Amino acid sequence: MRYKNMLSFMILSALLALPAAAQQGVKPAPPQLTAIKAGKLVDPETGLTAANQIILVENKTIKEIGASVKIPAGAKIVDLSKSTVLPGLFDAHTHLCMSVQPKRDANNYYITTLFDTTAYRAIEGVANGQAMLASGFTTVRDIGNAGNYADTDLRMAIENGVVQGPTVVNSGIIIAPYGGQFHLQPEKKELATPEYLFADTRDEMRKAIRQNIHFGAKFIKIVVDDQQYIYSADDIRFIIAEAHASGLKVAAHCWTHAGARNAAEAGVDSIEHGYRMTDEELQLAKQNNVTLVGTEFTEKMTQASGNLWEHKTWVDRLRRAYKLGVNMAFGTDVDVELPGETRGTLAIDYLSSWAEAGVPAADTLRAMTTNAAKLLGVEKERGSLKPGMAADIIATPENPLDNIQTLRKVSFVMKDGAIIKQ
Ligand SMILES: [Zn+2]
């Protein structure tokens, strides 16, 4: 480019140096400041409560926290001086883009996938995500069964501010041995598509992982053992190596003893369900740093799912896992529509399973925040309230460390600095 004279060159250079907004005569927006006055502030990691704290939020993040933080002029003040304030909750096992209608679908989500298009499921994902947010869940791991990547579109729509919702860490299409979690008939083989990626050989496993990553997955979900043939410990090691090489972790659905043993032995990042795992299997999981996302079904949910399993068996396994010191993250696996309930109210109801198993409030809260944040790989941004962290903040009438059931009554929700519920 050549300039006719030095003056025009200087004017152009000066203009280019200005921010775009100033060039158009628009002043840049001042930072949005919110000061939250917290009567009590809970740190789930330490299990400690501080009184009369001020949390200063600038735009999407926490700027300062303390008893003597100066509230800048012009800051919006949120008075939660009669409440307990804590980080937003996590559900590490959700299916936001699937809603089984028990009557229509005869409690069988195979039928749900035949009725509902991916587009419809993305819309359900928005509604379910908002319901989760209203119940205090500001981050979820969405663990498959989202049609043709509705979960990726849901995550992106939330990240781009198109809709409000929790932070979503999604796993794309579930990778499984032939048949996935369905029992097909030979003339209708294609009916498991796009719900599952069948992967039986190493080449198929590698390709399935890469397809998921390419289409926006942030976690890899495998089903180890829903068929007569299951993934071996070596298969799972191969899958972990391939996923980890791209920076993704692996969640393994395990229902049987053999499946849980293989996943624990391979050192998968998380075992999902682990229904009826023995103490020995739990020990192996602990030894190999596997997080258990136990999805301990409530009585209501076992009934809604057609009584295919027993609530008391879930509670017993949770009690044993806790006693053995297995690292655990809270996860629900709610995927049904029930009258009078939302995805959020059904999910928070899993607190009853944790209470029945005798897990102390502080440990339950850790499973719902810091432990889950580490598993999801977002612990540097979410899961605790510190300067620099995302402003994902909730409030409850009582201190959950004294009464964990108060989490059913979340009265305030802030997501990335925006007030969702007050
Ligand atoms: Zn599930």
Side-chain angles (χ1 to χ4, degrees), residues 33-271:
L33 288 168
T34 308
I36 298 173
K37 291 180 172 175
K40 287 175 184 162
L41 180 68
V42 168
D43 178 0
E45 188 148 38
T46 59
L48 297 174
T49 305
N52 300 320
Q53 300 287 300
I54 292 163
I55 308 170
L56 187 62
V57 175
E58 186 181 84
N59 299 329
K60 295 180 171 188
T61 52
I62 296 168
K63 200 178 180 201
E64 280 180 84
I65 300 189
S68 53
V69 169
K70 292 258 179 323
I71 299 179
K76 178 187 169 72
I77 292 174
V78 176
D79 186 5
L80 298 173
S81 56
K82 292 194 172 66
S83 305
T84 300
V85 174
L86 63 152
L89 307 175
F90 286 60
D91 184 343
H93 190 123
T94 62
H95 300 282
L96 297 183
C97 299
M98 179 161 70
S99 289
V100 179
Q101 298 178 34
K103 251 193 192 156
R104 183 195 69 174
D105 305 344
N107 281 317
N108 186 338
Y109 66 85
Y110 171 55
I111 298 174
T112 315
T113 67
L114 302 183
F115 276 118
D116 297 339
T117 64
T118 298
Y120 184 77
R121 293 169 70 172
I123 296 167
E124 285 182 318
V126 173
N128 288 330
Q130 287 174 353
M132 291 297 280
L133 209 48
S135 289
F137 291 96
T138 52
T139 307
V140 303
R141 188 177 57 159
D142 203 71
I143 205 84
N145 296 121
N148 214 353
Y149 296 100
D151 56 336
T152 296
D153 289 330
L154 174 66
R155 173 176 63 69
M156 286 171 60
I158 293 168
E159 286 172 1
N160 294 337
V162 177
V163 293
Q164 284 182 323
T167 295
V168 174
V169 177
N170 65 305
S171 60
I173 300 182
I174 298 171
I175 300 169
Y178 192 89
Q181 293 181 273
F182 294 159
H183 293 276
L184 302 161
Q185 56 112 321
E187 288 154 11
K188 301 276 161 56
K189 293 197 273 285
E190 70 285 359
L191 292 185
T193 304
E195 217 57 31
Y196 293 92
L197 284 171
F198 301 161
D200 295 285
T201 67
R202 297 291 161 93
D203 284 353
E204 287 167 349
M205 291 172 197
R206 172 173 278 146
K207 193 163 191 178
I209 292 165
R210 291 181 177 186
Q211 176 183 321
N212 268 333
I213 297 171
H214 189 80
F215 293 125
K218 299 294 177 190
F219 221 97
I220 296 299
K221 163 84 178 290
I222 59 171
V223 162
V224 173
D225 57 359
D226 275 15
Q227 303 290 341
Q228 202 173 333
Y229 39 86
I230 70 175
Y231 281 145
S232 67
D234 273 345
D235 289 335
I236 301 169
R237 278 191 201 99
F238 177 84
I239 289 168
I240 295 169
E242 178 66 27
H244 283 193
S246 293
L248 276 75
K249 296 186 186 180
V250 177
H253 162 112
C254 302
W255 205 262
T256 64
H257 293 295
R261 257 198 309 277
N262 288 354
E265 192 186 320
V268 77
D269 296 289
S270 65
I271 285 182

